[in-house]
Amino acid sequence: ASRTPRPVGVPRPVGYLIRKTVDHATFGVFGFTFDACLPLLQTQVTKVAGTLAPANEGAAARALAAIDRLYASGKYRAVATRKKARQDLAEGWKALDTENYLIVHHCRNEDLVRKIAREIEAMRALYTELFPPSGAMDQLSVVRVCRTMDEYHQYGGPPNTGGYWHPGNEELVFFDYTQTMKTMDSKAKRSLGNRKLTDEDTLLVLYHEAFHQYIYYAVGEVAPHDWFNEGYGDYFSGADVSSGGKVTKVEPSSWRIHLAKDMCEYGEGFVPLAELLRAERAVFYNPARIRFFYAGAWSFVYFLRTSKEVAAHPQWSQLLTVYFDTMKQTYQQLLAEPGAKASLEQKQVAGFEARKAALTKMLAGLDLAALEAAWRKYVVEMKDPWPDQRKKRK
């Protein structure tokens, strides 16, 4: 049979298989990628194959019985999902239950895991207060904590990210920053400058990504504009949670404040407010400008949440509420007819239209130039808790 020639420049897909036979049982691991990535695929498949062995049916039965006993009290909801997640745990991984989450982890620091479990519930209470859900929040939220950054990337963590929320797998994934610091080479450590990675960085990412996970379920499987989604994610990353499990205050983002100040004070990469608010995903996440969009989104949301000038302004003080409420209501209205039978395409179209309606209503009658000027002034004058970490200008 004839085959269509592969266009010039299109990579060739290749596969790699390792087959093992143990006690007359044959099994294996197969993966596929593009030819340029074959060496990396071979390494990963070999690593996975080395961990495989025929199941011990007796041990498996005992493990299932132990899981059944764990949930026999009826204390937790979504028991079937919790059981399945525990049954699927890879060797060396553990799980910890909370009211709304299952923490799946490969951490050596058990104190950090317990802190994650306590503080994510505190953040959930704050998310719920600020963004009441459209309906019952029955979904179990899974949080996966990898041991190091390398393990995070092996699991599928995108390059140049500290964590991510994956709607398809319904998992929030990040890693232990303190353990990562211990495994970094001297060059990587020098790239951090005066900073050291600590548990606080781990929690910062947790607060940010947990918001994405919450808002996805609260609104109905739809994400707001990225300035709102990422801006609020970074806003929550500055939360201070007490030992009693309560959010006591929200400080500036240590990851964004310095670039935001440089943008607003010196114009470095400054993203005009009109462009920031209207940016769709491809624009917001353009690698050449993504850090400016993130810093702009955080500083704008922080400004609207904390500025006394905003609080005293009858229109500015309502912008975030108007945006969120309009998006949520429009999305529900557009999917009212198909309901639970709505297709993925219908949800995507409804999400786009809901975001557009929300932004239109938010901007109606708004003096954008005046708002932008006030925002820039606020960021320039904002107190910097970490002045020694800001880039020195010549």
Side-chain angles (χ1 to χ4, degrees):
S2 62
R3 294 186 178 181
T4 303
R6 182 175 302 280
V8 176
V10 175
R12 182 173 63 92
V14 293
Y16 186 66
L17 169 70
I18 291 184
R19 186 173 61 182
K20 299 176 68 174
T21 301
V22 179
D23 296 334
H24 307 292
T26 300
F27 52 94
V29 180
F30 173 77
F32 67 90
T33 184
F34 294 115
D35 48 5
C37 301
L38 181 59
L40 178 60
L41 174 69
Q42 291 173 324
T43 299
Q44 296 302 325
V45 170
T46 302
K47 183 180 297 185
V48 172
T51 68
L52 296 183
N56 182 323
E57 293 185 2
R62 290 192 294 274
L64 289 175
I67 293 174
D68 287 338
R69 289 194 298 273
L70 179 64
Y71 294 111
S73 67
K75 178 180 178 181
Y76 298 107
R77 59 180 177 78
V79 169
T81 306
R82 293 177 191 268
K83 285 184 177 182
K84 178 66 166 54
R86 284 182 176 272
Q87 291 168 18
D88 292 343
L89 287 176
E91 183 178 357
W93 286 72
K94 299 178 182 179
L96 178 64
D97 292 281
T98 74
E99 180 182 355
N100 296 295
Y101 298 88
L102 181 69
I103 315 296
V104 177
H105 68 94
H106 195 206
C107 292
R108 292 181 173 143
N109 187 347
E110 295 287 346
D111 287 340
L112 173 62
V113 175
R114 286 190 290 270
K115 192 170 187 179
I116 287 172
R118 181 180 71 248
E119 298 199 0
I120 197 171
E121 288 290 353
M123 296 305 298
R124 169 76 167 241
L126 180 58
Y127 304 150
T128 304
E129 176 186 341
L130 296 179
F131 304 100
S134 300
M137 294 278 287
D138 296 329
Q139 301 91 340
L140 174 69
S141 297
V142 177
V143 176
R144 181 174 296 274
V145 191
C146 299
R147 179 171 293 176
T148 64
M149 182 190 295
D150 287 342
E151 186 174 78
Y152 164 78
H153 290 311
Q154 291 168 13
Y155 187 75
N160 303 315
T161 64
Y164 72 107
W165 155 237
H166 193 295
N169 292 340
E170 297 188 335
E171 284 191 352
L172 185 169
V173 188
F174 61 115
F175 55 90
D176 181 342
Y177 277 67
T178 299
Q179 185 64 33
T180 296
M181 187 75 187
K182 296 176 182 178
T183 64
M184 294 172 69
D185 59 28
S186 56
K187 180 180 179 181
K189 289 180 179 178
R190 285 197 300 272
S191 70
L192 296 174
N194 297 329
R195 292 188 67 247
K196 289 186 177 181
L197 301 181
T198 68
D199 287 352
E200 294 305 312
D201 292 291
T202 306
L203 295 172
L204 183 154
V205 174
L206 171 70
Y207 302 160
H208 178 118
E209 298 300 335
F211 171 70
H212 295 331
Q213 187 180 47
Y214 171 84
I215 210 71
Y216 177 82
Y217 290 133
V219 181
E221 301 183 10
V222 61
H225 275 92
D226 289 302
W227 70 265
F228 187 98
N229 212 7
E230 299 297 357
Y232 253 118
D234 278 337
Y235 170 78
F236 287 120
S237 74
D240 188 354
V241 182
S242 70
S243 58
K246 298 289 185 181
V247 178
T248 57
K249 58 184 175 180
V250 178
E251 300 282 9
S253 167
S254 60
W255 285 13
R256 308 296 179 206
I257 186 172
H258 298 124
L259 180 55
K261 278 184 166 291
D262 287 344
M263 289 167 60
C264 291
E265 186 171 356
Y266 304 114
E268 179 184 340
F270 182 75
V271 182
L273 190 52
E275 182 181 359
L276 178 68
L277 298 179
R278 294 186 173 91
E280 288 293 338
R281 197 166 189 82
V283 175
F284 194 98
Y285 289 92
N286 182 327
R289 301 180 68 201
I290 184 172
R291 65 192 188 103
F292 300 115
F293 275 96
Y294 262 91
W298 164 74
S299 62
F300 183 63
V301 170
Y302 194 83
F303 160 67
L304 292 180
R305 293 283 315 169
T306 61
S307 165
K308 293 181 179 179
E309 183 179 4
V310 169
H313 196 289
Q315 185 179 21
W316 295 359
S317 60
Q318 299 302 311
L319 292 178
L320 293 171
T321 301
V322 167
Y323 177 90
F324 179 74
D325 288 350
T326 304
M327 185 193 69
K328 183 170 65 172
Q329 293 163 9
T330 305
Y331 185 75
Q332 291 174 324
Q333 291 166 2
L334 291 171
L335 293 181
E337 184 175 343
K341 296 181 180 180
S343 66
L344 177 60
E345 182 180 1
Q346 287 174 312
K347 291 179 180 179
Q348 290 175 335
V349 171
F352 176 79
E353 294 297 333
R355 286 193 296 272
K356 185 168 67 172
L359 192 60
T360 298
K361 189 167 183 178
M362 172 184 162
L363 297 179
L366 184 64
D367 186 339
L368 208 58
L371 181 61
E372 180 177 297
W375 161 46
R376 293 190 68 163
K377 182 174 184 292
Y378 178 84
V379 174
V380 170
E381 296 176 352
M382 181 194 310
K383 182 180 179 181
D384 181 358
W386 310 277
D388 60 318
Q389 295 181 16
R390 187 177 180 189
K391 179 178 64 178
K392 305 298 183 184
R393 302 191 71 87
K394 297 179 181 179

